[in-house]
Amino acid sequence: MYQSIMVAVDGSDHANLAVDAAAALSVAFEAKVHLVHAAEQHPLVVGAAAVMSVVPREDLLNYGAAILAAARQRAEAGSVKELKLHNLAEPGSAAHTILQLADEIEPDLVVVGSRGQGNLAGLMMGSLSQKQCQLPNCPCLVVR
């Protein structure tokens, strides 16, 4: 039923639960798992002004690599046989970057955690899991 499963990871507990669920489905259906981390520049809001903090792309990629390494260990512990890692640090929102990747790899299923790393960030930027679940022609499993 599923040949390709995509999971966005950010190091949060909910993302870890999504990796666990994707691993179980991967074993059951012998599906490939795509672990995706997309870095995003967060604005620093002070009063009425917002200033974009500039973090070097290399630092964002290093941070993403560490998150993906932990997610890979978790997936491999769940007996996933075929993994592909995607470490992205593109301009724009993480949600947009992940949706673009989903258009390219065309997963059969997207698995997301119900919350990411921060409630405040989710409130300010919109829910990444909600945006990922808007993929056309692709079921989405939200893990709580």
Side-chain angles (χ1 to χ4, degrees), residues 11-66:
S12 68
D13 291 341
H14 289 274
N16 289 338
L17 293 174
V19 171
D20 294 345
L25 290 166
S26 172
V27 170
F29 293 105
E30 298 180 8
K32 180 177 190 173
V33 174
H34 294 266
L35 297 174
V36 181
H37 179 267
E40 183 170 293
Q41 296 278 2
H42 296 285
L44 174 64
V45 179
V46 180
V51 178
M52 184 62 74
S53 63
V54 179
V55 177
R57 187 171 190 274
E58 183 178 325
D59 290 347
L60 293 173
L61 290 172
N62 288 339
Y63 178 71

Side-chain angles (χ1 to χ4, degrees), residues 28 46 96 98 101:
V46 180
H96 180 73
I98 291 169
L101 178 65

Side-chain angles (χ1 to χ4, degrees), residues 20-141:
D20 294 345
L25 290 166
S26 172
V27 170
F29 293 105
E30 298 180 8
K32 180 177 190 173
V33 174
H34 294 266
L35 297 174
V36 181
H37 179 267
E40 183 170 293
Q41 296 278 2
H42 296 285
L44 174 64
V45 179
V46 180
V51 178
M52 184 62 74
S53 63
V54 179
V55 177
R57 187 171 190 274
E58 183 178 325
D59 290 347
L60 293 173
L61 290 172
N62 288 339
Y63 178 71
I67 288 173
L68 284 168
R72 170 184 233 151
Q73 280 186 319
R74 195 170 188 100
E76 288 173 344
S79 301
V80 173
K81 302 239 185 291
E82 190 175 358
L83 278 169
K84 173 99 173 145
L85 305 180
H86 304 270
N87 190 6
L88 308 169
E90 304 301 325
S93 73
H96 180 73
T97 301
I98 291 169
L99 292 175
Q100 281 184 320
L101 178 65
D103 284 342
E104 291 174 29
I105 64 175
E106 298 179 338
D108 300 311
L109 177 68
V110 173
V111 181
V112 296
S114 61
R115 286 250 181 233
Q117 282 195 343
N119 294 338
L120 180 59
L123 182 65
M124 290 173 57
M125 296 181 303
S127 170
L128 179 58
S129 57
Q130 180 185 12
K131 290 175 185 175
Q132 286 179 354
C133 288
Q134 294 173 358
L135 284 170
N137 304 320
C138 181
C140 183
L141 172 64

